[in-house]
Amino acid sequence: MEPRFQVETVHDREAYRNMVTVHYMLHQKNSVKALYAVGALLALCVWWTTANGDLTSIRALGTGLLTFAVLFLAIPYIDRFAARQVCARMLDRVVKGAKKSKTFGIPTRYRFYEDRLDASDSEGTIETPYSQVTDLVETQGYHLIFLQSGQCIVARKSDLTLGTPEELGPFLAEACGRPLRTYEMPA
């Protein structure tokens, strides 16, 4: 059986950045709602402390509301900063691990058949049925295929040697029985 699509990709820092960012932002990142809850709790603590027993104090209420307003406006920036920091640390670890295991910059060929996909590099070939796929994500330059094993197939769209990027996404969604999600990478 001939493959429908084939990609020959070298996993470089940009490929790993896409993988790490998508993995963290879609699979691991806590909801910003938790930060708002902590902010509300902090504002209540400020109000309680400022009130010093006089719970009807206008000064204490104003201080608590001001604290809540400042936190409410600052939380999206705090969340974005924290996410960037986490992703940068994760990327450094992944790249360091890939270099240590001598897989960084090594070409990998992915072939997509009707019933399975395979990955081949200098170590050999591994076949994976589409039933092992847990998530499909498309970024501007990559298709990311997350597997039950915890691995991720990072297929650079410009590296397709058989088929087109516009056809690969819908094919994978149908073959895996999962929706193809789109993620816009932060600048």
Side-chain angles (χ1 to χ4, degrees), residues 137-153:
V137 181
E138 179 178 20
T139 66
Q140 184 176 356
Y142 294 86
H143 280 101
L144 300 145
I145 305 156
F146 293 90
L147 304 174
Q148 285 178 355
S149 64
Q151 295 175 316
C152 178
I153 293 173

Side-chain angles (χ1 to χ4, degrees), residues 6-187:
Q6 181 171 300
V7 180
E8 294 188 32
T9 296
V10 172
H11 295 132
D12 55 11
R13 190 168 182 85
E14 181 61 21
Y16 287 129
R17 185 178 85 82
N18 273 260
M19 179 191 74
V20 164
T21 302
V22 168
H23 173 68
Y24 178 73
M25 298 303 285
L26 297 181
H27 299 139
Q28 287 188 328
K29 186 175 175 293
N30 292 328
S31 172
V32 73
K33 293 176 188 174
L35 287 175
Y36 282 114
V38 169
L41 186 61
L42 183 61
L44 280 172
C45 289
V46 166
W47 167 70
W48 181 265
T49 304
T50 307
N52 200 23
D54 182 13
L55 301 180
T56 60
S57 167
I58 297 296
R59 183 175 150 265
L61 182 61
T63 304
L65 288 174
L66 180 63
T67 301
F68 181 74
V70 168
L71 289 173
F72 184 81
L73 294 173
I75 283 174
Y77 299 102
I78 293 167
D79 182 57
R80 190 173 315 135
F81 174 77
R84 283 186 179 159
Q85 294 300 107
V86 169
C87 287
R89 283 194 305 273
M90 287 173 63
L91 175 59
D92 288 343
R93 278 190 238 132
V94 167
V95 168
K96 185 178 178 181
K99 286 179 177 179
K100 186 176 181 178
S101 67
K102 299 182 182 355
T103 58
F104 185 83
I106 303 298
T108 303
R109 182 187 66 210
Y110 300 112
R111 293 183 298 191
F112 302 91
Y113 297 90
E114 292 294 330
D115 60 341
R116 70 188 184 290
L117 60 91
D118 71 30
S120 301
D121 60 14
S122 59
E123 300 293 316
T125 301
I126 298 173
E127 290 189 357
T128 305
Y130 290 120
S131 62
Q132 298 293 307
V133 173
T134 59
D135 199 9
L136 296 169
V137 181
E138 179 178 20
T139 66
Q140 184 176 356
Y142 294 86
H143 280 101
L144 300 145
I145 305 156
F146 293 90
L147 304 174
Q148 285 178 355
S149 64
Q151 295 175 316
C152 178
I153 293 173
V154 184
R156 185 178 287 119
K157 291 178 181 180
S158 62
D159 291 344
L160 270 161
T161 58
L162 179 62
T164 67
E166 297 78 26
E167 296 171 331
L168 179 58
F171 168 78
L172 288 171
E174 184 178 325
C176 300
R178 300 206 170 270
L180 177 64
R181 300 196 289 168
T182 302
Y183 181 79
E184 189 168 328
M185 291 291 292

